Amino acid sequence: MDVVFLSRLQFAITTTYHFLFVPITLGLSIFVALLETCHVLAKQEKWKKTSKKLVKFFGTIFLINFAMGVVTGIVQEFHFGMNWSEYSRFMGDIFGAPLALEALTAFFLESTFLGIWMFGWDRLSPKLHCACIWIVAFASNLSAFWILVANSFMQHPVGYTIHNGRAEMTDFFALVTNPYALGEYSHALFAGISTAGFVVLAVCAWKLLHDKASREPFTECMKFASVYLLIGILGAMGSGHMHTQYLAEANPMKLSSVEALWETENPAPFAVVADVNAYDRKNDFEIAVPGVFSFMLYNKPEGEVKGINELQQMAAETYGPGDYIPDVKGLFWSFRIMIASGGALLAIAALALFLLHRKRILDYPCFLKLLPWLLPLPFLANSVGWYIAEGGRQPWIVVGLQRTYDAVSPNLTTTEVGLTMVGFTLIYLVLAIAALYAAMHFIRKTSIVEMASEGRDA
């Protein structure tokens, strides 16, 4: 457990904590904005009042999540100077630009208008107040875009030159339009919509069982959430499929590692399950479907896919001796966990929508009881998906330009990293428990029927 390993582990822990809250912020901000738009456009007085209460109800959950996202995200910035100073020195000219734009054009906009939205219920007109939450939703997703622009350069460098041992930007437009960034962002956006949709669905299910007086508004909201979840899952699957096809060009090693494809094949099979033997660079056992992997990449049942062993040889010839193979077993199973979780969410959304359309949702209390217990599903899918994105580029911190081992701060000790890692983990754990308790307490104790129509915002 050297400094590099501990620094990677520390960053992984803090990133995973942070990424629990990011997708909800992305998706729930849009959901609350859509819900308030329904309130503004509503003609029936009864639904107008009810929809406003729903906006405030889910708006409070959004605020709790937003606060946690900000707190856990701040630490991320310090890692680059404390643990990864050589990376900051090498990449500062490029990585700093989108981070600065994220703060100036997104975070400031988001936090300012969120404050106006929180305290402006009785001070702004309904349309102007609704515009504020739309600006928050836009700024939240713009923030994610800038972060992923920076991350995508690490995955697929574009628009740069190497000068005096440092990467310097030569084309900002190329950086922003990096196809890797567009693929990552679209997938993250739909993942956020899926996560928020399922959170709302689970909350509505719990309220249907335990808050009989509020059943009518939460039933209507559950219909909205089911459609929202369905759109998110289908969008995530579509964007993920297109990004996977792009990986065949941008990062074939990551792509082949996700499928544990050791030897070049045409057509390439899709391994449903496999016993990955990374030491001998082969699969000791696998159940594979012939030609499916090639079909995924080329939309036809044939097409060559280079294997890990050949790609390793090519990398060694290009960059010099070394091991350029990432964690194949981890990537292989992470991808299948993500796919299985997405499939389960798709089935849940379709079933919920069917039962709601037939007005039979209350006839299946077991389904309603199950939904809150399945709440970890989208978070599990997001976490393993993020691991695929970041773990798949190892041993590079910037693919083809800087290795992870060369990016760590030179004067760090294992004791320093170990102590701060334990400290951050414990603090984050306490904060996560506090946020979860606050959200659950609010959900359990707040009734839509009993909420005042005015002034009951967070």
Side-chain angles (χ1 to χ4, degrees):
M1 296 180 68
D2 58 7
V3 170
V4 177
F5 175 80
L6 287 175
S7 293
R8 290 181 63 193
L9 183 60
Q10 183 184 58
F11 197 84
I13 291 171
T14 54
T15 301
T16 301
Y17 266 114
H18 180 56
F19 204 64
L20 292 175
F21 305 99
V22 170
I24 307 182
T25 299
L26 301 182
L28 199 54
S29 61
I30 299 174
F31 183 86
V32 173
L34 289 170
L35 202 55
E36 186 162 358
T37 302
C38 292
H39 159 69
V40 171
L41 299 178
K43 302 298 182 182
Q44 296 180 0
E45 189 61 29
K46 181 181 178 181
W47 172 244
K48 200 171 187 69
K49 291 181 180 179
T50 300
S51 59
K52 186 174 184 179
K53 295 173 184 178
L54 286 171
V55 171
K56 292 181 177 181
F57 181 86
F58 287 106
T60 301
I61 297 175
F62 170 72
L63 290 170
I64 295 171
N65 177 81
F66 178 81
M68 280 299 299
V70 171
V71 171
T72 56
I74 290 175
V75 178
Q76 301 293 98
E77 306 279 347
F78 292 102
H79 276 304
F80 299 117
M82 295 188 300
N83 296 70
W84 305 100
S85 62
E86 287 301 304
Y87 166 80
S88 298
R89 183 196 63 80
F90 178 74
M91 271 283 294
D93 286 355
I94 297 175
F95 199 78
L99 286 185
L101 285 168
E102 187 268 338
L104 294 172
T105 67
F107 182 71
F108 288 168
L109 191 68
E110 180 183 23
S111 55
T112 298
F113 280 90
L114 185 59
I116 296 172
W117 183 80
M118 285 173 59
F119 301 108
W121 281 102
D122 304 323
R123 297 172 177 84
L124 301 175
S125 67
K127 291 183 179 179
L128 192 56
H129 189 269
C130 183
C132 289
I133 193 63
W134 273 113
I135 294 174
V136 171
F138 168 76
S140 297
N141 286 274
L142 180 62
S143 175
F145 173 75
W146 287 123
I147 295 298
L148 291 176
V149 164
N151 180 266
S152 294
F153 183 89
M154 299 165 67
Q155 309 277 355
H156 182 58
V158 294
Y160 73 97
T161 187
I162 302 298
H163 182 66
N164 293 329
R166 301 173 69 245
E168 296 182 359
M169 187 190 308
T170 58
D171 189 344
F172 178 74
F173 184 74
L175 187 71
V176 173
T177 59
N178 187 345
Y180 210 105
L182 300 178
E184 275 197 337
Y185 175 72
S186 60
H187 196 55
L189 171 62
F190 284 114
I193 291 173
S194 304
T195 305
F198 193 75
V199 168
V200 174
L201 197 69
V203 170
C204 289
W206 193 92
K207 297 297 281 187
L208 287 182
L209 289 173
H210 299 90
D211 187 1
K212 295 182 179 179
S214 302
R215 276 183 175 176
E216 183 179 350
F218 280 108
T219 300
E220 294 300 317
C221 190
M222 198 173 187
K223 293 178 184 177
F224 185 18
S226 298
V227 174
Y228 196 66
L229 173 59
L230 196 62
I231 292 171
I233 289 296
L234 293 175
M237 289 180 173
S239 60
H241 173 66
M242 290 188 289
H243 190 55
T244 299
Q245 292 183 325
Y246 176 69
L247 281 179
E249 171 191 343
N251 195 335
M253 177 63 86
K254 177 191 290 188
L255 182 65
S256 295
S257 298
V258 163
E259 294 302 326
L261 185 72
W262 294 97
E263 303 299 335
T264 300
E265 296 194 41
N266 184 7
F270 175 84
V272 180
V273 294
D275 182 9
V276 179
N277 186 341
Y279 182 79
D280 293 326
R281 297 183 181 178
K282 66 177 184 177
N283 296 335
D284 291 334
F285 166 80
E286 68 177 18
I287 298 176
V289 184
V292 172
F293 192 21
S294 291
F295 186 82
M296 290 169 59
L297 298 181
Y298 304 110
N299 299 322
K300 57 183 181 180
E302 60 181 15
E304 183 182 86
V305 182
K306 292 189 181 299
I308 298 170
N309 291 327
E310 182 179 346
L311 292 169
Q312 161 64 22
Q313 183 179 353
M314 293 169 60
E317 292 173 357
T318 303
Y319 304 111
D323 185 2
Y324 297 93
I325 302 174
D327 176 19
V328 177
K329 181 177 289 188
L331 293 170
F332 179 85
W333 287 111
S334 292
F335 182 74
R336 277 139 191 84
I337 292 171
M338 182 178 68
I339 295 300
S341 300
L345 292 173
L346 180 63
I348 290 169
L351 180 57
L353 199 58
F354 174 77
L355 294 176
L356 287 163
H357 177 71
R358 293 294 185 92
K359 298 182 179 179
R360 298 189 60 190
I361 191 70
L362 293 174
D363 294 339
Y364 296 89
C366 291
F367 178 65
L368 294 175
K369 290 178 182 178
L370 183 63
L371 285 179
W373 289 103
L374 295 177
L375 203 52
L377 271 179
F379 298 97
L380 178 62
N382 293 333
S383 297
V384 295
W386 190 247
Y387 175 75
I388 292 169
E390 301 309 297
R393 61 175 159 79
Q394 295 301 321
W396 301 102
I397 194 167
V398 184
V399 174
L401 299 182
Q402 187 180 45
R403 303 187 196 195
T404 304
Y405 186 85
D406 298 322
V408 74
S409 299
N411 298 319
L412 276 179
T413 66
T414 55
T415 302
E416 291 170 338
V417 182
L419 288 175
T420 54
M421 180 175 65
V422 172
F424 284 142
T425 303
L426 293 176
I427 292 172
Y428 274 21
L429 181 61
V430 171
L431 289 173
I433 292 172
L436 185 61
Y437 173 80
M440 292 179 64
H441 180 78
F442 173 79
I443 292 167
R444 293 179 61 184
K445 298 298 182 181
T446 305
S447 173
I448 290 292
V449 173
E450 296 174 357
M451 284 178 68
S453 60
E454 301 291 341
R456 181 68 183 276
D457 56 309

